Amino acid sequence: MFFCWLNRLYRGLSSPTGRTTQLIWGSLSRSLVLSSRRRIPEFSSFVARTNTCGELRSSHLGQEVTLCGWIQYRRQNTFLVLRDFHGLIQLVIPQDESAASVKKILCEAPVESVVRVSGTVISRPPGQENPKMPTGEIEIKVKTAELLNSCKKLPFEIKDFVKKTEALRLQYRYLDLRSFQMQYNLRLRSQMVMKMREYLCNLHGFVDIETPTLFKKTPGGAKEFVVPSREPGKFYSLPQSPQQFKQLLMVGGLDRYFQVARCYRDEGSRPDRQPEFTQIDIEMSFVDQTGIQSLIEGLLQYSWPRDKDPVVVPFPSMTFAEALATYGTDKPDTRFGMKIVDISDVFRNTEVRFLQDVLSKPKGTVKAIRIPEGAKYLKRKDIESIRKVAADHFNQEVLPVFLKAGRHWNSPVAEFILEKQSLELIRLMELQEEDVILLTAGEHRKACSLLGKLRLECADLLEARGVVLRDPALFSFLWVVDFPLFLPKEENPGELESAHHPFTAPHPSDIQLLYTEPEKVRSQHYDLVLNGSEIGGGSIRIHDAELQRYILATLLKEDVKLLSHLLQALDYGAPPHGGIALGLDRLICLVTGAPSIRDVIAFPKSFRGYDLMSNAPDSIPPEELKPYHIQVSWPVDSEAEKSSLDHPHHPES
């Protein structure tokens, strides 16, 4: 397929460009041939070693080798384990007098010192092989050794099983990076990105283009970081994403754009968010929603790690309305059941006053989820905790209903549940002995959202008691589609805001509703969900300038002057286009099973946005602010504030 694309490129360019085309063709051909030949990475090219610590085997017996690495540990001043990025190998420290200087270096150098050694690959004595080590059948009989750099006393041991606080790990990140887990995470990330580049650029003709990091403030979305300039009162903003640039590239006729894009959001303290993060950013011309989804399914299938179960395509799809009604969220974890069931009809003639009141309202519903064997695993304090979450976060009542032997109900409403209702409930909910129902009543969306949260809370509780609901080896992808185009503003429900961003195209069937009932319009937005986390989002864009102007100015009440460049561009023959962005950090976090996205980023910020290693953000002297025509307005307790900036005492420390 790639050769076909190259041929088309060659034919398309050959007539007008002559010599230039030959150069491009020659360069691409040479690159392709070189890449096809170089199947095995040459880890020891260009450096002062012959091999890595992890690659030597019995097939290398008798070879003279030179290795470089860190001292992992030493045993009885006779054996030393050397580590590099590729693995571990055992060295035999020479004991004879003629090698006293070599022994002195290897026995006196502290753990984690860097050394270079030369010696011969020999077999381990019979019975002393280590089957847990890939290099466990052989060892190195050392002849020469050189101490390249000695290591001071460490703040923590470089071992994955040694517990250390995340604050300490972030403070000494360069040491934490030596751990096996961090090495694995970052190398897997690199391999997946490389495969994505191959798939997009080599197999499907995408162009890798960098877009500006210094931009201007634009309406909608998350808060942006502001960057001062030397022009009085003028500021740059760091872009939340390359959204406008990718659309402008489509107007520019690039047709297929791709970027491993750095994005910035000034969102403050969010436990698993970063102020700077990475997206796999994609945009295409002349494409529909199905085309984008097929592209992403193929991309993930192609780049998926070989040590995981293969990705099965196509991914299932679900509308936003279905996801909310069944799972209480727009990012459902479909690895387990406990789905929401509407049981309003069961209680149409109930004597329970609280249910009566809700069902008498136009949008009143009764919903429930079934917790399998909940009576066996949930304690009284768990039920109280669940009811407290409902009251505190949703201002809702949740009723637990237990089914005991003989089908007697044990709950605050037990005496009011009629025999007919209980039988219908058992049928609808597919109840078994020891199951527990969590029942709530209220407006559809609110009731579903509450049960969606409680579904995950109960899964946590059951798994803490040993029940396996969410298999960590299972990767359950899901497309969620047909989102609303607009949502009412929280601070002013009479006004609308974009559910995602203002460049999302309305669903073709709903365009007329824009002018009559815009709150009912569905969008051509789609989210990709993996195991209950949103890992990607995209949409077909508005390519008509008048429609874009109407949505911005009339419906969203935005200042269109801020986006005049984009509106003007859409007027100059913009093709229909759409795209998507995958959250690379979150995707890799889920693939590796890491507890936090900070474990798949080389130098992350803490959950409060600090760099604990360098103490950024930091204060700047007033004289250095003068060229930017800005000054700091200190809070009332300014001296204390200045002191805390000069000597940060972060809560994570």
Side-chain angles (χ1 to χ4, degrees):
M1 190 168 185
F2 182 51
F3 279 109
C4 296
W5 176 75
L6 282 176
N7 277 313
R8 287 202 301 274
L9 176 68
Y10 179 64
R11 286 198 301 273
L13 294 176
S14 58
S15 47
T17 55
R19 171 69 179 153
T20 307
T21 302
Q22 291 171 17
L23 288 171
I24 293 171
W25 173 256
S27 172
L28 284 168
S29 301
R30 281 194 300 277
S31 300
L32 190 61
V33 170
L34 284 171
S35 65
S36 64
R37 284 178 189 161
R38 196 177 296 128
R39 296 290 183 194
I40 301 169
E42 297 174 6
F43 292 129
S44 295
S45 50
F46 318 117
V47 296
R49 66 176 177 233
T50 61
N51 299 87
T52 64
C53 295
E55 70 176 296
L56 297 173
R57 301 288 188 273
S58 296
S59 58
H60 298 91
L61 284 173
Q63 288 187 17
E64 298 293 317
V65 297
T66 299
L67 308 174
C68 297
W70 285 261
I71 296 173
Q72 178 87 348
Y73 61 87
R74 202 171 16 242
R75 192 168 74 250
Q76 300 169 344
N77 283 349
T78 304
F79 299 103
L80 182 147
V81 172
L82 194 67
R83 182 194 77 244
D84 65 9
F85 73 95
H86 207 238
L88 304 169
I89 193 162
Q90 181 167 286
L91 311 181
V92 182
I93 301 171
Q95 302 296 316
D96 47 301
E97 285 298 320
S98 60
S101 60
V102 174
K103 181 178 181 181
K104 180 178 170 64
I105 288 170
L106 297 180
C107 290
E108 292 183 3
V111 169
E112 289 301 311
S113 293
V114 188
V115 296
R116 178 164 52 228
V117 299
S118 295
T120 309
V121 182
I122 61 173
S123 291
R124 293 197 188 191
Q128 294 186 23
E129 299 90 350
N130 184 348
K132 294 180 181 177
M133 265 174 98
T135 59
E137 292 183 351
I138 54 98
E139 55 194 9
I140 307 299
K141 185 178 180 182
V142 178
K143 292 180 180 176
T144 66
E146 181 184 354
L147 179 63
L148 299 177
N149 206 339
S150 184
C151 181
K152 291 183 177 179
K153 183 173 171 55
L154 294 164
F156 53 79
E157 289 186 81
I158 314 296
K159 291 173 183 170
D160 286 284
F161 62 81
V162 174
K163 298 290 183 187
K164 50 250 180 202
T165 64
E166 187 176 58
L168 197 62
R169 290 177 58 207
L170 293 180
Q171 186 179 353
Y172 296 96
R173 189 58 160 188
Y174 42 84
L175 296 179
D176 189 45
L177 291 174
R178 295 183 192 174
S179 70
F180 168 79
Q181 195 59 57
M182 285 302 302
Q183 290 271 322
Y184 173 81
N185 292 351
L186 294 178
R187 290 179 189 282
L188 183 137
R189 178 179 176 133
S190 169
Q191 288 161 9
M192 284 190 71
V193 170
M194 190 65 216
K195 295 289 283 181
M196 288 178 178
R197 288 186 190 278
E198 284 179 16
Y199 181 83
L200 291 167
C201 298
N202 293 357
L203 299 183
H204 294 286
F206 281 77
V207 188
D208 188 349
I209 301 174
E210 300 88 3
T211 54
T213 299
L214 294 176
F215 192 39
K216 63 180 285 186
K217 183 168 176 57
T218 53
K223 288 183 180 177
E224 297 163 336
F225 283 101
V226 172
V227 181
S229 78
R230 290 173 182 261
E231 282 198 48
K234 299 287 180 72
F235 296 85
Y236 295 107
S237 279
L238 302 182
Q240 304 168 37
S241 76
Q243 182 60 46
Q244 291 178 56
F245 292 111
K246 63 200 279 187
Q247 291 193 243
L248 293 169
L249 287 167
M250 296 305 101
V251 178
L254 269 298
D255 194 79
R256 294 182 169 208
Y257 144 91
F258 148 74
Q259 184 182 185
V260 181
R262 297 295 284 166
C263 306
Y264 307 88
R265 289 181 188 170
D266 188 6
E267 292 189 322
S269 302
R270 303 284 293 271
D272 214 28
R273 293 281 181 93
Q274 288 282 293
E276 51 183 332
F277 57 98
T278 307
Q279 288 181 347
I280 301 296
D281 204 45
I282 294 169
E283 197 80 4
M284 300 170 72
S285 294
F286 311 109
V287 72
D288 61 11
Q289 183 169 311
T290 305
I292 297 283
Q293 290 175 346
S294 297
L295 171 82
I296 294 303
E297 289 168 358
L299 174 72
L300 288 167
Q301 195 174 43
Y302 186 86
S303 61
W304 202 248
R306 290 182 180 176
D307 62 345
K308 312 289 180 191
D309 289 338
V311 170
V312 178
V313 299
F315 301 155
S317 183
M318 183 181 293
T319 66
F320 167 78
E322 286 176 299
L324 182 67
T326 311
Y327 295 98
T329 175
D330 60 0
K331 43 180 184 290
D333 189 337
T334 52
R335 288 175 296 175
F336 70 107
M338 289 168 57
K339 296 178 182 178
I340 299 168
V341 179
D342 191 313
I343 54 173
S344 303
D345 289 344
V346 176
F347 292 100
R348 288 292 173 200
N349 301 313
T350 184
E351 294 179 30
V352 182
R353 177 57 61 86
F354 143 69
L355 298 179
Q356 274 181 353
D357 290 346
V358 170
L359 289 173
S360 66
K361 294 172 184 172
K363 293 185 179 180
T365 61
V366 182
K367 310 274 187 185
I369 58 173
R370 176 179 70 89
I371 306 165
E373 297 188 287
K376 186 195 294 187
Y377 294 107
L378 297 181
K379 299 177 170 57
R380 182 180 293 276
K381 65 176 184 180
D382 297 326
I383 298 296
E384 289 309 311
S385 172
I386 286 167
R387 299 187 74 176
K388 189 173 187 307
V389 166
D392 292 352
H393 295 281
F394 291 85
N395 195 27
Q396 289 260 112
E397 175 74 19
V398 166
L399 303 177
V401 181
F402 299 84
L403 178 59
K404 294 292 186 185
R407 296 190 173 178
H408 296 299
W409 296 95
N410 174 16
S411 84
V413 293
E415 59 189 282
F416 298 106
I417 297 179
L418 306 174
E419 180 67 18
K420 183 183 176 184
Q421 290 171 337
S422 68
L423 290 171
E424 183 64 10
L425 209 50
I426 289 167
R427 186 189 66 80
L428 265 180
M429 303 293 297
E430 298 179 355
L431 285 171
Q432 304 290 326
E433 284 288 331
E434 303 289 346
D435 289 352
V436 172
I437 295 175
L438 292 183
L439 177 152
T440 192
E443 184 269 326
H444 170 75
R445 183 165 188 150
K446 193 174 179 183
C448 289
S449 296
L450 166 59
L451 289 177
K453 181 169 177 59
L454 295 184
R455 174 178 179 264
L456 296 176
E457 294 265 342
C458 290
D460 288 341
L461 286 168
L462 291 178
E463 289 188 333
R465 310 263 152 79
V467 181
V468 178
L469 286 176
R470 296 168 289 194
D471 181 356
L474 180 65
F475 294 95
S476 184
F477 287 96
L478 174 73
W479 288 108
V480 179
V481 300
D482 288 354
F483 285 84
L485 187 61
F486 305 111
L487 294 173
K489 284 185 177 178
E490 276 190 37
E491 65 277 12
N492 186 0
E495 293 184 11
L496 297 175
E497 63 183 1
S498 295
H500 290 277
H501 59 59
F503 315 114
T504 302
H507 197 287
S509 308
D510 295 354
I511 285 182
Q512 286 310 309
L513 289 173
L514 276 175
Y515 308 98
T516 54
E517 298 176 283
E519 68 281 355
K520 292 185 179 178
V521 177
R522 292 168 298 163
S523 71
Q524 292 192 69
H525 176 92
Y526 31 86
D527 274 354
L528 181 58
V529 176
L530 173 57
N531 293 357
S533 289
E534 179 200 328
I535 60 162
S539 65
I540 302 303
R541 322 300 186 190
I542 299 166
H543 67 279
D544 177 83
E546 280 309 307
L547 178 58
Q548 184 67 83
R549 194 175 281 109
Y550 174 78
I551 285 175
L552 284 168
T554 307
L555 298 181
L556 298 176
K557 310 285 195 295
E558 297 284 5
D559 182 359
V560 292
K561 290 177 186 173
L562 293 170
L563 290 166
S564 58
H565 55 284
L566 179 65
L567 292 169
Q568 187 178 48
L570 295 179
D571 264 330
Y572 289 130
H577 58 281
I580 193 168
L582 297 179
L584 183 63
D585 309 304
R586 200 172 292 173
L587 171 63
I588 303 297
C589 181
L590 291 167
V591 170
T592 59
S596 161
I597 61 168
R598 292 184 288 281
D599 290 310
V600 298
I601 301 171
F603 296 100
K605 305 290 188 290
S606 73
F607 78 92
R608 292 184 184 274
Y610 296 125
D611 178 349
L612 302 183
M613 185 176 63
S614 67
N615 282 331
D618 204 355
S619 54
I620 294 178
E623 60 270 17
E624 291 186 24
L625 289 175
K626 281 182 181 176
Y628 300 102
H629 312 283
I630 60 176
Q631 63 183 36
V632 176
S633 174
W634 293 100
V636 177
D637 191 6
S638 58
E639 291 308 312
E641 184 72 20
K642 286 181 187 176
S643 173
S644 71
L645 282 170
D646 291 337
H647 307 285
H649 51 285
H650 306 311
E652 296 101 328
S653 299

